[in-house]
Amino acid sequence: MTIRELADICGVAVSTVSRAMNDRSDVSPETRERVRAAARRYGYIPNASARRLKISTTQTISVIVQGELGQLVIEVLSHLEEAFAESGYDTTLQHVSEEHAHAGTVERLVREGKYGGVVFLGRYGSSDRDLSAQLIRRLAEIDVPMVFCTTPDYSGADSLHSSISVDDQSGAFELVSHLIEAGHRRIAFVGAGSERDREHAWALRLAGYRSALAAASIPFDERLVVPSAEEHHIYSIVNGYESTKRWLPDAPTDVTALMAVCDAAALGTARALSEAGKRVPEDCSLVGFDGMDLAKYYVPRITTLAQPLSEIAQSAARVLLATMRNPSRAIEQVWIRGRLLEGESVRRID
């Protein structure tokens, strides 16, 4: 039984059936009861999903994720759903594959969805600065409140949207300073990307690495920056493994510690070190970044910088909801400090 068939049976318009089933006041009590009685008799069930899509789209917030759905993204998404639900909003997830991560695709998703607000969760756009800047400018022309979560506006454009992210640079500074305090002076950085995406998280963490060395008067050595073997999957186990494996044969022999760009890469690095006959932390200390469970339960437990995911999600929800209420409010760029979690992967040396 479709709504059109029910309308024909009752001798009314489809719109009248819709208003009667939704208990609208602009339908007479007699007509409302006649329509509902016929619905019960013939087994008509309103399409709740379609009804919500038609009359309540502004009560739905879209979360757009590009690329892989890693553990960090999934955890933040859970926190976002909870925060928006508390304010009466539904959350829908939309995934954009890497090959379709360009302005046209994202613009179409946002324009056609008619959402009350949009959250970009994790990395977004192209690794090319110019293309990312173009995406930001085109999104700014769409009359939908937006916020970037777990990533800053790294497009090179002016700050056109609010963003909430962990403070990548200060977090890396703290991690490397921890290694320096443990006596390490020859510290490598695993997971550098290309110059064209130098404003991404890896670059901010590399900047923190360099700042910590400078603060301790330790000369920067380009040979200790390990380039990513998998540029499109920098924050992955396979990148940590492949990058370290390729670098080790020609690596300086006096390296005593490595900082991986993230926890996943740290696990891959640990595997490559093991295959090369190096033990963590006896032969080489190792730290990661993010505070994921995979680092906590690895043996040895990886020292890392934990992202405050709940706080990041709550801040993103707060900023987006405030922007939905007042679209002209000021842009916010929020950087949240992470927390050092000491594991078993760092050895103190003399």
Side-chain angles (χ1 to χ4, degrees):
M1 172 64 68
T2 66
I3 190 172
R4 184 171 298 281
E5 290 171 336
L6 182 60
D8 290 340
I9 290 172
C10 297
V12 297
V14 170
S15 59
T16 301
V17 172
S18 177
R19 292 197 300 272
M21 297 302 296
N22 286 295
D23 203 24
R24 293 272 295 271
S25 59
D26 53 353
V27 179
S28 69
E30 295 79 11
T31 300
R32 184 186 302 113
E33 181 53 37
R34 180 159 55 89
V35 169
R36 291 190 170 188
R40 290 191 297 269
R41 179 180 178 184
Y42 293 101
Y44 170 73
I45 300 175
N47 187 329
S49 297
R51 185 169 68 249
R52 282 197 304 269
L53 197 60
K54 184 174 182 180
I55 66 176
S56 303
T57 50
T58 56
Q59 291 298 114
T60 299
I61 292 172
S62 175
V63 178
I64 297 178
V65 176
Q66 175 181 320
E68 299 177 4
L69 291 172
Q71 181 187 353
L72 186 146
V73 168
I74 293 171
E75 289 192 25
V76 176
L77 176 61
S78 176
H79 290 302
L80 285 171
E81 288 176 331
E82 182 178 345
F84 289 132
E86 290 177 356
S87 297
Y89 288 89
D90 294 326
T91 304
T92 183
L93 174 66
Q94 297 192 88
H95 178 259
V96 178
S97 62
E98 294 290 355
E99 58 268 29
H100 294 111
H102 50 73
T105 299
V106 177
E107 183 180 20
R108 176 179 56 78
L109 289 175
V110 175
R111 285 191 184 278
E112 293 181 358
K114 300 179 181 178
Y115 301 106
V118 173
V119 177
F120 286 90
L121 177 54
R123 63 183 298 269
Y124 64 94
S126 167
S127 59
D128 186 284
R129 276 186 86 203
D130 293 335
L131 293 178
S132 290
Q134 179 189 77
L135 170 60
I136 291 296
R137 288 192 295 270
R138 288 177 64 171
L139 290 177
E141 297 172 357
I142 303 173
D143 190 23
V144 178
M146 301 178 194
V147 66
F148 294 98
C149 182
T150 73
T151 182
D153 180 350
Y154 52 60
S155 67
D158 293 333
S159 296
L160 300 175
H161 299 94
S162 294
S163 67
I164 292 83
S165 173
V166 70
D167 192 332
D168 293 289
Q169 188 164 334
S170 70
F173 182 97
E174 188 172 356
L175 280 167
V176 176
S177 296
H178 177 72
L179 290 171
I180 294 171
E181 290 167 3
H184 298 276
R185 294 295 181 272
R186 297 289 284 168
I187 304 167
F189 179 92
V190 180
S194 65
E195 278 298 304
R196 64 187 178 187
D197 61 353
R198 61 183 179 272
E199 291 166 329
H200 287 228
W202 72 262
L204 296 173
R205 294 173 189 181
L206 177 59
Y209 159 88
R210 297 189 63 162
S211 295
L213 294 179
S217 299
I218 299 174
F220 172 72
D221 187 345
E222 191 70 47
R223 295 177 301 165
L224 302 186
V225 177
V226 183
S228 289
E230 303 284 334
E231 280 197 33
H232 295 293
H233 304 281
I234 288 178
Y235 311 100
S236 67
I237 293 177
V238 66
N239 186 54
Y241 173 76
E242 293 292 346
S243 302
T244 306
K245 184 177 180 179
R246 294 182 188 183
W247 173 76
L248 279 174
D250 299 316
T253 57
D254 58 349
V255 173
T256 62
L258 298 93
M259 174 191 166
V261 69
C262 64
D263 289 343
L267 266 62
T269 293
R271 176 68 186 186
L273 290 171
S274 177
E275 290 182 359
K278 296 181 181 294
R279 299 166 299 166
V280 176
E282 291 84 358
D283 301 316
C284 193
S285 292
L286 177 65
V287 299
F289 197 116
D290 285 338
M292 296 289 94
D293 283 345
L294 49 80
K296 183 190 305 181
Y297 292 104
Y298 185 77
V299 179
R301 187 168 65 250
I302 305 295
T303 293
T304 185
L305 195 288
Q307 294 203 42
L309 301 184
S310 177
E311 185 178 353
I312 289 172
Q314 290 286 343
S315 295
R318 173 188 61 79
V319 171
L320 181 62
L321 292 173
T323 304
M324 290 166 64
R325 291 190 293 269
N326 178 19
S328 62
R329 71 189 300 272
I331 298 297
E332 289 189 54
Q333 304 293 326
V334 181
W335 299 86
I336 301 177
R337 289 294 296 265
R339 178 169 59 93
L340 182 69
L341 295 180
E342 292 191 43
E344 304 153 345
S345 63
V346 174
R347 181 174 70 92
R348 180 169 291 278
I349 61 177
D350 297 329

